[in-house]
Amino acid sequence: MFFAMSSADAGRMSRREQSGYLWHDDEWMNDRQHLIPKVSPVNLFAADTTVFGSQLVDQIQRMGYTHLCLTQPAVTANADECLLMELIDSCHSAKIGVILPWSPPFCADELDEQQHCSRLMEDACSLLTVYHADGLFLPSPDDFLLYDDSPRCAEAKRNLYGGRENLSGFAFLHGLSETIARDFPGVMMIAGECSGFPMMTGSTWLGGLGFHLKWNADWLDSTVSYLRTDAMYRKWRHPLLLSSLLPDSTEHRLFPLRLHETQQSLLELLPGDEWQKFAGLRALHGYTMALPGKKLFSAGSMTIPEVNEGETTNRCEALQQCLAALNQLYREYPALYAADHSPDSFQWVGPWDCDNSVIAFLRCAPGEDAILCVVNFRSIFHPIYRVGLPHPGTLTEVFNTDKAQWGGSDQYNGWEPAVEAGNYNSFPYWADLCVPPLGCVYFRYHMHPSKTVRKNRFGTLPVSLRRKKGGVHAT
């Protein structure tokens, strides 16, 4: 079969010798072999061009992103090829990985022929060998997985079972994932938007396609729809925040804060005056960073259109500083990345406060302090806001998007909130917190040993409580 290649030598037969480029990234390439993407911090910055070269690398390094993800093909001529190699070499020197898009031209029927499949395999491997890429991004996996069923096709093709699924396409992507995992350790495979195929990121030996991450388009659509709504009316759309975060045991998710409308920035999308727009944008980034999955941000998520002199310019600079601090914090706390796929890494502690448009949840990792994230999507200040907690412990505020240095109203927790014993929202402990308007707050939650608790869907119950006919009674 075409995917039984013994090495990546096929890719090396491409343009490497012709380019004559001298790489300086041996240390990076050696270290990458020991990288396990699923348990490592992965925070991508999406860019459409390589034109800005060193300026782009400096910006990504200053902001603290782990990878550059190019979303458009970067090579159309020999000059572009050299520029791309220089960019990737510079990124590796700055400890930044590079993800390249891969959208080869092909016809679905070609996947039935070993010759064409070998050519596609060679093309994918050449991006990793010639350009030292650290991952491949497939914008449209459906091109491989489905036969074209659009009206422009004279006759809709079907597989031997009568379905639209391209079985040869499944076999090819399965083989490509196995080849890359074997010959390019540490390299990521990222699937873009697709038609809901399960097990895109499942292990190949379990029948999955072996990708490392899958683009979470449902979350992006739900979040954008929620944010377009005026803050006063968001309580009626609160379920949008919850439905897209339901546990998914079959996929490793990538949360992309990147709009489909490339000409519109997130600041333009948010309602309210200028202060509310900037505060909402900071809170959105804080909320996204705490979600159980890897992250992708773009220039549109932080670009401010038509910046004028004065106060707006200062707010732009403050926003950049806030996001840089957030990216650094993401790397420092394993609870935010080390166990993204585990059901135990995410727990709601306050999902249903739709009247105030506030949500609260925990991020956890084995052997590490948890992170309590509280997000307020309205411009109402809560000097005392109570949340339930599963264990006794200590809380320390470690990040707040409302700090004055970032253009906020400077409402923060200047003390360590006390964790008190007592039932609240089905939790055996609670704490009163200061929650700023249109803000996101992180607390380091150092848990102390306590009685074993039993989880329910949205909280916990002490093991001493047993549900009996007619209600809950203590045993």
Side-chain angles (χ1 to χ4, degrees):
M1 295 293 289
F2 61 87
F3 47 79
M5 300 171 64
S6 58
S7 69
D9 290 339
R12 298 190 180 95
M13 294 188 297
S14 185
R15 297 179 293 265
R16 188 174 189 180
E17 293 79 9
Q18 300 176 20
S19 66
Y21 185 82
L22 179 62
W23 291 89
H24 305 87
D25 61 351
D26 289 346
E27 180 180 357
W28 170 271
M29 297 296 284
N30 290 332
D31 291 343
R32 191 185 71 183
Q33 298 181 35
H34 307 290
L35 177 69
I36 305 176
K38 292 181 180 181
V39 298
S40 302
V42 175
N43 184 14
L44 309 176
F45 180 81
D48 296 329
T49 179
T50 63
V51 171
F52 299 103
S54 60
Q55 297 179 15
L56 182 61
V57 176
D58 291 342
Q59 179 190 13
I60 295 172
Q61 186 179 32
R62 184 175 65 253
M63 294 298 295
Y65 294 100
T66 63
H67 291 75
L68 166 64
C69 180
L70 297 178
T71 57
Q72 300 293 334
V75 177
T76 58
N78 290 336
D80 295 333
E81 180 177 284
C82 293
L83 289 176
L84 178 60
M85 291 179 178
E86 291 176 0
L87 174 66
I88 295 176
D89 206 7
S90 298
C91 283
H92 288 174
S93 297
K95 305 300 181 183
I96 299 168
V98 180
I99 311 297
L100 296 183
W102 187 58
S103 299
F106 70 97
C107 176
D109 292 339
E110 293 179 350
L111 296 176
D112 295 327
E113 302 179 18
Q114 180 174 343
Q115 178 182 357
H116 293 293
C117 290
S118 298
R119 176 180 57 81
L120 290 173
M121 184 74 72
E122 178 183 340
D123 186 64
C125 290
S126 70
L127 291 177
L128 305 177
T129 54
V130 177
Y131 301 107
H132 289 201
D134 304 290
L136 297 180
F137 170 58
L138 272 67
S140 181
D142 282 354
D143 292 345
F144 289 89
L145 301 177
L146 290 176
Y147 289 117
D148 194 346
D149 204 17
S150 61
R152 67 175 180 269
C153 294
E155 181 179 355
K157 187 171 181 178
R158 295 290 185 266
N159 60 38
L160 58 88
Y161 302 106
R164 288 185 60 207
E165 296 80 9
N166 186 345
L167 303 182
S168 296
F170 275 88
F172 173 76
L173 292 182
H174 184 278
L176 177 63
S177 297
E178 288 191 328
T179 298
I180 290 178
R182 182 185 66 238
D183 296 336
F184 302 94
V187 167
M188 286 189 290
M189 292 278 290
I190 302 176
E193 297 183 48
C194 57
S195 301
F197 285 97
M199 298 287 286
M200 286 290 295
T201 59
S203 300
T204 54
W205 61 275
L206 288 176
L209 290 182
F211 284 74
H212 292 87
L213 297 170
K214 178 183 177 182
W215 190 282
N216 193 347
D218 291 341
W219 171 83
L220 177 62
D221 294 339
S222 298
T223 302
V224 169
S225 179
Y226 178 82
L227 292 173
R228 288 183 187 274
T229 306
D230 188 276
M232 182 182 301
Y233 304 105
R234 283 177 179 169
K235 65 178 182 179
W236 307 112
R237 314 206 75 185
H238 196 75
L240 288 173
L241 288 177
L242 309 182
S243 60
S244 60
L245 289 181
L246 292 176
D248 186 350
S249 60
T250 64
E251 302 292 2
H252 294 262
R253 295 180 289 185
L254 175 69
F255 290 94
L257 197 57
R258 183 173 186 266
L259 297 180
H260 298 296
E261 303 89 351
T262 56
Q263 300 302 317
Q264 186 183 37
S265 72
L266 280 171
L267 197 76
E268 294 175 297
L269 177 147
L270 296 172
D273 58 27
E274 187 175 273
W275 187 92
Q276 291 173 326
K277 286 176 177 289
F278 274 91
L281 190 58
R282 294 192 301 270
L284 173 59
H285 279 80
Y287 161 67
T288 304
M289 191 64 79
L291 297 178
K294 309 309 181 184
K295 319 299 184 303
L296 181 142
F297 298 93
S298 69
S301 66
M302 65 184 74
T303 299
I304 313 304
E306 300 181 1
V307 173
N308 299 316
E309 296 293 333
E311 187 174 2
T312 302
T313 303
N314 295 334
R315 284 177 174 165
C316 294
E317 295 174 353
L319 173 65
Q320 299 287 330
Q321 295 171 7
C322 176
L323 301 186
L326 178 62
N327 292 342
Q328 180 62 34
L329 182 137
Y330 170 70
R331 291 172 179 253
E332 291 178 357
Y333 287 93
L336 296 174
Y337 64 81
D340 286 329
H341 190 53
S342 171
D344 295 329
S345 72
F346 179 89
Q347 182 180 7
W348 284 111
V349 295
W352 296 119
D353 190 3
C354 54
D355 288 336
N356 292 309
S357 297
V358 175
I359 59 174
F361 55 86
L362 292 173
R363 292 300 316 282
C364 308
E368 302 288 345
D369 286 345
I371 293 293
L372 169 63
C373 176
V374 184
V375 191
N376 181 5
F377 287 103
R378 293 189 66 182
S379 55
I380 298 176
F381 172 45
H382 299 280
I384 299 178
Y385 188 88
R386 182 164 294 184
V387 298
L389 294 171
H391 300 281
T394 58
L395 292 172
T396 305
E397 183 179 295
V398 294
F399 180 76
N400 190 325
T401 63
D402 195 53
K403 286 293 188 71
Q405 67 196 82
W406 297 326
S409 60
D410 212 28
Q411 304 296 338
Y412 62 94
N413 296 265
W415 69 99
E416 288 191 356
V419 178
E420 305 286 353
N423 185 66
Y424 185 77
N425 281 349
S426 299
F427 287 92
Y429 300 91
W430 55 266
D432 287 336
L433 314 172
C434 171
V435 179
L438 286 170
C440 175
V441 190
Y442 288 3
F443 298 87
R444 185 177 66 244
Y445 180 23
H446 180 69
M447 301 183 191
H448 297 160
S450 64
K451 292 183 179 180
T452 304
V453 294
R454 174 169 56 86
K455 284 190 177 182
N456 60 22
R457 187 175 181 185
F458 291 108
T460 57
L461 288 174
V463 73
S464 61
L465 296 181
R466 294 291 186 269
R467 181 168 295 279
K468 297 182 178 180
K469 186 175 182 180
V472 177
H473 303 277
T475 57

